[in-house]
Amino acid sequence: MKNIILIRHAKSNWDLPLPDKERTITNSGIKKSIKVANNAINYINSSAIIWCSSAQRTQLTAEIFLNVWNLEPKNIVVNDDLYTFDCLQLEEIVKSCPNQCENLILFGHNSAITDFVNKFGNKFVTNVPTSGFVSINFDTTSWATITKGTTQKIIFPSEN
């Protein structure tokens, strides 16, 4: 059995004229991330591998979630390839996950996350909002062979 948790970064701050990868997150985004992380705490496996896009807003979001979950931010693996908005690229990265990993937590971007959730989960989601959390289980022993899984939990800030 494999499980992936996909989390979209918190609402990004557009106040300063920064390159996209350097944008931070808003105070509202911080509050919503804390809210979702608190509601998701029972779905987290502390032995999970944690992957994160290289964008500043995604790393800040990961740190907030991990702080709420009492997990060490030093465990975050930042991967520039996760700075993608393309589902096929995200799928390729997920399928490269080592098979000894049973649980993967991934912090990334839309539309890649929404498209991945709809391709591999069994519940349709119109849009994974900022700070949105989706957990999907796969009945397989290999990440490379994941197909349609079972959506276990969806937590969106507006619904909690």
Side-chain angles (χ1 to χ4, degrees):
M1 182 73 72
K2 303 292 182 196
N3 174 263
I4 187 169
I5 292 172
L6 298 122
I7 300 167
R8 184 176 170 197
H9 65 77
K11 181 145 181 66
S12 54
N13 189 341
W14 290 83
D15 289 347
L16 298 173
L18 296 171
D20 185 67
K21 283 178 95 170
E22 295 176 21
R23 282 190 283 125
T24 61
I25 56 180
T26 65
N27 287 334
S28 169
I30 293 168
K31 290 175 186 169
K32 288 179 180 180
S33 289
I34 292 169
K35 179 181 178 182
V36 171
N38 276 313
N39 286 318
I41 201 162
N42 293 328
Y43 301 93
I44 301 308
N45 184 312
S46 62
S47 68
I49 290 178
I50 302 157
W51 286 355
C52 182
S53 158
S54 57
Q56 179 74 8
R57 63 190 179 274
T58 313
Q59 293 177 59
L60 292 169
T61 304
E63 290 172 9
I64 292 167
F65 275 79
L66 268 59
N67 184 51
V68 170
W69 297 336
N70 292 315
L71 297 175
E72 290 290 328
K74 68 179 182 187
N75 294 332
I76 298 170
V77 177
V78 176
N79 182 341
D80 196 50
D81 290 339
L82 287 172
Y83 180 69
T84 183
F85 309 94
D86 179 79
C87 178
L88 293 177
Q89 185 174 349
L90 181 60
E91 177 182 343
E92 185 177 305
I93 295 164
V94 170
K95 287 184 173 185
S96 75
C97 187
N99 286 328
Q100 61 266 31
C101 169
E102 298 294 323
N103 299 284
L104 174 63
I105 301 172
L106 189 147
F107 292 86
H109 306 270
N110 247 5
S111 63
I113 287 182
T114 297
D115 294 343
F116 187 97
V117 164
N118 287 324
K119 180 173 183 175
F120 289 100
N122 65 341
K123 293 181 183 172
F124 180 79
V125 175
T126 303
N127 178 55
V128 175
T130 52
S131 302
F133 171 106
V134 179
S135 175
I136 302 172
N137 281 348
F138 300 99
D139 188 17
T140 184
T141 58
S142 171
W143 286 102
T145 62
I146 62 170
T147 56
K148 199 68 152 177
T150 304
T151 305
Q152 294 297 306
K153 188 67 179 174
I154 298 172
I155 304 172
F156 294 163
S158 63
E159 298 169 0
N160 292 299

